[in-house]
Amino acid sequence: MTSLSDSARAGVPGTPSPVVSVKPVTLEAPGRGADLQVRISAPTTGSALPVIVFSHGYGSSLEGYGPLTDHWAGHGFVVVQPTHLDSRTVGLAQDDPRTARLWRLRVADLKRVLDRLDVLEAAVPGLSGRVDRDRVAAAGHSFGGQTAGNLLGLRVLDPVSGAGEDLSDPRIKAGVLLATAGRGGADLTPFAAEHFPFLNPSFAHMTTPALVITGDRDDSPLTVRGPEWTADPYHLSPGAKSLLTLFGAEHSLGGIAGYEVRETTDEHPGRVALIQRFTRAYLRHALGVEDAGWTAAKKELAQSATPLGRFVSRPGLAA
């Protein structure tokens, strides 16, 4: 395993490193209908830097999720953010023939990023030779959580045949799924079942270690089950999994989608700070960087007199 420099190990906790961010970097994408636009952010110091490939929620873009992506990059990660075709910045028409395949095209976007990490690394001044491609994680919020989940082993089931293709990727060693959809079928509202047939995931093969983060007030209009629906990726998947449930959090989990964005209905800087600490520490642990930060984050939450959430886990690497 590649050894880490002191600066790469210094991601928990403390003053963040200066960050360099380059956008957009264009990756050719034959058959997609448009080239893929990507943003890459990385600390200006450190070597053997682990990578997070981040999938945005429906309608967002590489411009979103600064509260998470800026934090990760400032604490020793290379963060790669593609803009998917459902982004408002793309303006895909509802009758575009690609609309029905958006979920698959999203997965293809993440795989294309993984395939072209050399190009993305070279696009950032001073980054070449500082990336550890053996330590790569996938993360995503909402629709992006399902997209990232596909690389962890989640399978989208055909609503007619019940078959689901294996789109997992062995290059992904861990994941973070934030406010991600649960089971489909009878758990969906009639509107969701009609308009979003791809919301029919099976977690039975999602074996890659992951941290699932939910809000106990994330009452989605897509499901009849209420906030507990978004905990399905934890409860219904095998292997080492962890679950952080945030008290009082709605779908934006306190404001992770961006700084002062209109999508945030439950602004809460404390929740965002907790997610920052937990995701950073979890990924450093799950990717084999260091364990002390993860131990400290769990202990701090457990001993808080006024905890902002509840944590549970299953035994294994990421527990």
Side-chain angles (χ1 to χ4, degrees):
M1 183 176 290
T2 306
S3 63
L4 298 177
S5 68
D6 290 342
S7 53
R9 291 184 183 277
V12 48
T15 304
S17 301
V19 170
V20 59
S21 184
V22 176
K23 64 165 188 178
V25 178
T26 300
L27 297 179
E28 293 185 357
R32 187 176 183 267
D35 289 337
L36 180 62
Q37 304 296 311
V38 181
R39 177 178 188 155
I40 312 100
S41 303
T44 57
T45 61
S47 60
L49 302 172
V51 179
I52 302 173
V53 180
F54 184 81
S55 180
H56 63 71
Y58 188 89
S60 189
S61 72
L62 58 75
E63 303 287 356
Y65 296 92
L68 286 183
T69 60
D70 292 349
H71 179 85
W72 291 335
H75 287 84
F77 292 91
V78 177
V79 184
V80 187
Q81 297 173 258
T83 291
H84 300 302
L85 286 174
D86 56 83
S87 172
R88 289 184 293 270
T89 64
V90 175
L92 201 69
Q94 286 297 314
D95 60 354
D96 189 288
R98 292 169 290 177
T99 300
R101 298 185 294 120
L102 281 175
W103 75 268
R104 291 187 66 96
L105 292 168
R106 279 173 149 262
V107 178
D109 289 345
L110 299 192
K111 288 181 175 284
R112 182 168 285 109
V113 163
L114 295 173
D115 291 342
R116 304 307 305 275
L117 279 178
D118 56 338
V119 174
L120 299 175
E121 181 180 341
V124 181
L127 185 59
S128 291
R130 297 170 52 221
V131 179
D132 187 344
R133 299 185 193 176
D134 291 326
R135 290 188 175 100
V136 183
H141 174 242
S142 194
F143 194 8
Q146 177 170 301
T147 305
N150 276 274
L151 301 190
L152 309 181
L154 178 156
R155 298 184 184 183
V156 175
L157 304 180
D158 183 276
V160 177
S161 69
E165 184 179 357
D166 180 9
L167 298 174
S168 62
D169 196 301
R171 291 171 290 186
I172 298 299
K173 303 303 191 294
V176 173
L177 309 182
L178 302 124
T180 302
R183 289 183 305 191
D187 291 351
L188 298 180
T189 61
F191 175 84
E194 178 182 356
H195 292 88
F196 306 110
F198 53 82
L199 289 180
N200 195 30
S202 168
F203 303 100
H205 302 279
M206 198 176 78
T207 58
T208 304
L211 170 62
V212 177
I213 300 181
T214 70
D216 69 0
R217 293 188 184 176
D218 185 2
D219 198 2
S220 171
L222 302 175
T223 182
V224 298
R225 286 177 49 208
E228 68 175 26
W229 185 57
T230 58
D232 282 357
Y234 172 79
H235 292 295
L236 302 181
S237 64
K241 297 294 186 297
S242 298
L243 173 66
L244 175 64
T245 303
L246 298 171
F247 301 149
E250 299 176 11
H251 195 59
S252 289
L253 302 176
I256 63 169
Y259 302 106
E260 301 179 350
V261 299
R262 63 186 180 188
E263 288 91 342
T264 299
T265 56
D266 62 334
E267 185 175 4
H268 194 294
R271 285 191 205 114
V272 174
L274 177 60
I275 294 171
Q276 290 171 336
R277 291 194 301 273
F278 249 73
T279 54
R280 176 188 73 207
Y282 171 81
L283 288 175
R284 289 171 61 83
H285 161 70
L287 294 176
V289 178
E290 56 85 26
D291 295 329
W294 183 228
T295 300
K298 293 184 292 182
K299 182 177 180 180
E300 180 183 352
L301 180 64
Q303 295 182 348
S304 173
T306 55
L308 294 176
R310 177 180 61 254
F311 175 79
V312 295
S313 65
R314 293 201 295 269
L317 168 68

